[in-house]
Amino acid sequence: MDIKEALIAAISKAAAAAIAAGVFTVEKLPEIALEIPPQKEFGDFATNFAMQSAKAAKMNPRSIAQAIIERLNETWLDKAVIAGPGFINFYLKSDVLYQQLAGILAAGADYGRGASGQGERVQVEFVSANPTGPLHVGHGRGAAFGSALVNLLRMAGYQVEAEFYINDAGNQIDNLAASVNARYLELLGQACQFPEDGYHGRDIIDTAQRIVDRHGDKYLAMPETERLAVFKELALTEKLAALKEDLAEFGVYFDIWFSERTLHNTGAVEATCQFLKNNGSIYEKDGALWLKSTVYGDDKDRVVIRDNGVPTYLAADIAYHRDKFDRGFNRVINIWGADHHGYISRVKAAIAAMDYNPDNLEVLILQMVSLYQNGELVKMSKRTGQGVTLGELIEEVGRDAARFFFIMRSIDSQLDFDLDLAKSSSNDNPVYYIQYAHARIASIFRQVADAGIPVPDDWNGVKLELLTEQAETDLIKKLAGFPEEVAAAARERAPHRIARYAHELAGMFHTFYNQCRIIGVDPALQSARLALVTAVRTTIKQSLGILGVAAPDKM
């Protein structure tokens, strides 16, 4: 039993009973929020629900609170008391917490897994960077957040597929080929004009050099159109492989790598435009085809096929989203950069025009990342003079710190990434602080093994009721809230909630560790405390696992 969920349900039921009895009337009950009081004498949980309901009910909040208390009859509830202007403090029977802890221990590595997602099929598309060069820090935030969101949704019972959309068609790939071609000619001493929209990164020179090393001047005699076609494939293959390698190094994997080219090669773009034309959502003007996106809430109609017959990026994106929904996903989540904010309305308009529900597309926008070192903004890589790559960041601070720092703030806010803090081995570094808690627990069990203290295969016979210190009961309450935290974080698409939860749990564990001796106390109490730290270790590991961060046994 999740005691927090059970208490919320009990309050809701009591409020409904009071309304049915005519004690008060309210059209819609406010959301019931519970918090753990700062002091034990104020109960195990508290709510301001009566105060939140008072205005709508036109009734004194203490009277509402009294009506609710009179209709609570849960066997696991010791008492409920009105406090202040209308808070309700709840006191649980002492054995409830120990039942919660026993349940955590019994669940083991499955603790926190839930069914709130009800098996809903969800696709999460993220990163989807142009395969024209290395991933940069901004991509890193999207990669860390996206993969953590996938883990979180799966933990909460959703059926999830992670997808990368490969932008391997269009001008950016033509510019890639032209850039490699120019560098190839330069390396062979040939006169050339570097393309105006070309890519200037060191990696383009490296790609051209590898072509020279393998094939020499073989391609000089080839007509330029043919040479560009060859270089396009060589460069695209190389860049995509490097991109996959960078993501794997960052602990990010995809179920599907979807090629934009396939939409053009299979006629999906043309077929989608024809479908929209047939249902009256596309019209012709000035030789181009336009989507009637204003009908569906966009600020202006959008070109999908140019007057020269070439599809726009939007045309491919419309076909791509049609393909997504045709694959049977109940919900599609796109994670885009802040520069794509204005693109949302036109894609949703297209989805509506195709008779899909635009609300089934969620677009999550990532705000910018700024790197700081020694208190100063870092804009360029020391190595290349270009923007800092994801690979360089991982090399500088490590994968775990990079992932945690990217995830620990809501994506709605700009992230100031402190490189010095991320590298530090101090309690100020949140990921170090959490990992140290896990390593400290592993150290406890090494000491137990060295001392020859037996650890039970299961904890059924352990007297958990001996855990009466406030640091112990606070820990149990925090642990018991993990499944609800997972469900809420998944519902809100908020992996940063898990990062915050793990940090708070680690802090409570460190407090417990400093206040409560574990080894060398009464054997029964010793076993109970070992059971408690086992539950803490499990929950920290589960939390870090969602974030894609390691849970080390040694630091």
Side-chain angles (χ1 to χ4, degrees):
M1 175 181 69
D2 186 318
I3 197 65
K4 207 169 181 181
E5 285 186 3
L7 184 52
I8 288 172
I11 297 167
S12 179
K13 181 181 174 183
I19 291 170
V23 178
F24 61 89
T25 303
V26 61
E27 287 187 13
K28 185 180 179 182
L29 291 172
E31 183 179 353
I32 300 170
L34 294 177
E35 61 181 27
I36 297 175
Q39 294 174 288
K40 195 171 184 178
E41 55 264 32
F42 296 133
D44 297 294
F45 294 101
T47 184
N48 65 349
F49 172 77
M51 297 159 66
Q52 295 288 95
S53 307
K55 185 175 181 181
K58 298 178 181 178
M59 189 175 185
N60 183 287
R62 288 184 65 91
S63 298
I64 295 174
Q66 184 62 41
I68 290 171
I69 288 173
E70 288 173 355
R71 289 162 177 82
L72 291 171
N73 55 10
E74 275 58 36
T75 57
W76 40 263
L77 190 63
D78 186 32
K79 62 180 178 179
V81 176
I82 302 172
F87 288 100
I88 308 175
N89 294 337
F90 301 94
Y91 297 78
L92 306 177
K93 290 184 178 175
S94 59
D95 60 343
V96 173
L97 281 180
Y98 307 122
Q99 291 171 12
Q100 291 282 92
L101 179 55
I104 296 168
L105 293 163
D110 287 328
Y111 184 56
R113 294 197 176 277
S116 61
Q118 300 180 344
E120 182 181 21
R121 282 199 69 204
V122 178
Q123 186 220 49
V124 182
E125 182 226 320
F126 58 106
V127 184
S128 298
N130 291 339
T132 54
L135 296 173
H136 287 269
V137 168
H139 300 130
R141 189 178 195 186
F145 173 82
S147 58
L149 180 60
V150 168
N151 295 338
L152 175 61
L153 291 173
R154 286 173 177 161
M155 190 86 164
Y158 295 82
Q159 187 180 343
V160 187
E161 285 188 20
E163 184 154 309
F164 188 111
Y165 181 56
I166 308 168
N167 293 278
D168 52 3
N171 289 337
Q172 76 276 4
I173 301 301
D174 292 336
N175 290 335
L176 172 65
S179 303
V180 171
N181 180 58
R183 296 305 189 197
Y184 174 79
L185 295 174
E186 284 179 0
L187 290 170
L188 293 175
Q190 303 294 307
C192 68
Q193 181 72 36
F194 197 84
E196 183 177 346
D197 295 324
Y199 297 103
H200 294 269
R202 174 71 214 182
D203 63 294
I204 300 296
I205 300 173
D206 293 340
T207 296
Q209 184 64 60
R210 279 188 282 273
I211 294 173
V212 171
D213 292 343
R214 292 169 188 162
H215 305 288
D217 61 359
K218 169 183 173 181
Y219 298 112
L220 279 182
M222 186 179 283
E224 186 169 71
T225 53
E226 293 181 24
R227 185 168 65 244
L228 285 169
V230 171
F231 286 179
K232 179 187 290 189
E233 298 310 310
L234 289 174
L236 181 60
T237 299
E238 181 181 281
K239 299 305 176 194
L240 189 56
L243 190 151
K244 289 182 177 182
E245 186 177 335
D246 281 351
L247 288 168
E249 178 69 19
F250 201 41
V252 178
Y253 302 92
F254 293 89
D255 301 301
I256 302 291
W257 292 80
F258 190 103
S259 166
E260 180 187 352
R261 283 185 180 183
T262 62
L263 297 170
H264 297 277
N265 295 342
T266 62
V269 175
E270 182 181 345
T272 299
C273 289
Q274 188 61 50
F275 173 83
L276 289 168
K277 197 171 183 181
N278 292 344
N279 74 8
S281 297
I282 279 182
Y283 64 92
E284 187 173 344
K285 187 179 78 170
D286 300 330
L289 295 183
W290 297 69
L291 176 70
K292 295 179 180 178
S293 47
T294 50
V295 174
Y296 303 99
D298 197 6
D299 60 343
K300 62 181 180 180
D301 291 347
R302 306 289 175 173
V303 176
V304 289
I305 304 292
R306 300 180 182 93
D307 56 7
N308 61 3
V310 177
T312 62
Y313 287 119
L314 179 60
D317 283 339
I318 295 171
Y320 178 43
H321 283 81
R322 185 187 189 195
D323 181 273
K324 290 186 182 195
F325 285 111
D326 283 350
R327 280 185 265 163
F329 294 109
N330 306 109
R331 188 163 300 278
V332 168
I333 299 174
N334 293 345
I335 300 170
W336 290 348
D339 55 337
H340 284 71
H341 193 278
Y343 202 65
I344 298 173
S345 57
R346 67 194 75 170
V347 174
K348 280 185 171 283
I351 289 170
M354 291 187 291
D355 298 324
Y356 299 113
N357 184 351
D359 291 338
N360 290 340
L361 168 67
E362 294 179 31
V363 179
L364 307 179
I365 294 294
L366 292 156
Q367 294 303 320
M368 303 295 287
V369 178
S370 297
L371 298 180
Y372 285 86
Q373 191 161 43
N374 300 321
E376 296 183 357
L377 183 64
V378 178
K379 290 186 177 180
M380 298 296 178
S381 163
K382 296 175 185 176
R383 187 179 306 164
T384 66
Q386 305 291 322
V388 179
T389 68
L390 177 59
E392 288 172 325
L393 179 68
I394 295 171
E395 188 179 317
E396 180 77 8
V397 304
R399 183 172 92 175
D400 289 341
R403 286 188 63 99
F404 191 92
F405 273 61
F406 279 137
I407 298 167
M408 69 179 182
R409 299 275 182 266
S410 169
I411 59 169
D412 296 334
S413 59
Q414 180 166 323
L415 176 63
D416 292 338
F417 192 119
D418 187 331
L419 294 168
D420 298 312
L421 179 60
K423 290 190 294 184
S424 71
S425 299
S426 73
N427 290 342
D428 293 330
N429 179 350
V431 68
Y432 176 87
Y433 189 65
I434 298 166
Q435 289 181 317
Y436 183 58
H438 190 273
R440 181 173 252 179
I441 294 171
S443 174
I444 291 168
F445 280 96
R446 286 195 295 272
Q447 294 175 52
V448 165
D450 290 344
I453 298 170
V455 176
D457 293 331
D458 66 63
W459 302 95
N460 288 335
V462 174
K463 296 180 178 179
L464 301 177
E465 63 273 15
L466 296 176
L467 302 171
T468 57
E469 296 291 336
Q470 179 151 2
E472 295 168 331
T473 55
D474 286 349
L475 256 184
I476 298 171
K477 290 176 193 174
K478 190 68 177 177
L479 292 168
F482 181 59
E484 186 203 348
E485 192 67 42
V486 169
R491 187 170 58 249
E492 296 172 16
R493 318 303 192 222
H496 70 275
R497 287 189 57 154
I498 303 300
R500 182 178 62 204
Y501 172 89
H503 191 253
E504 291 171 354
L505 177 60
M508 295 174 77
F509 167 74
H510 289 307
T511 297
F512 156 79
Y513 181 86
N514 291 328
Q515 293 180 1
C516 302
R517 188 176 175 185
I518 300 169
I519 301 173
V521 295
D522 174 78
L525 179 58
Q526 178 177 265
S527 293
R529 286 179 174 169
L530 288 173
L532 177 57
V533 298
T534 296
V536 174
R537 178 169 61 178
T538 295
T539 309
I540 288 177
K541 188 172 184 177
Q542 295 289 76
S543 301
L544 292 177
I546 291 170
L547 305 179
V549 173
D553 287 340
K554 292 183 179 180
M555 297 283 285

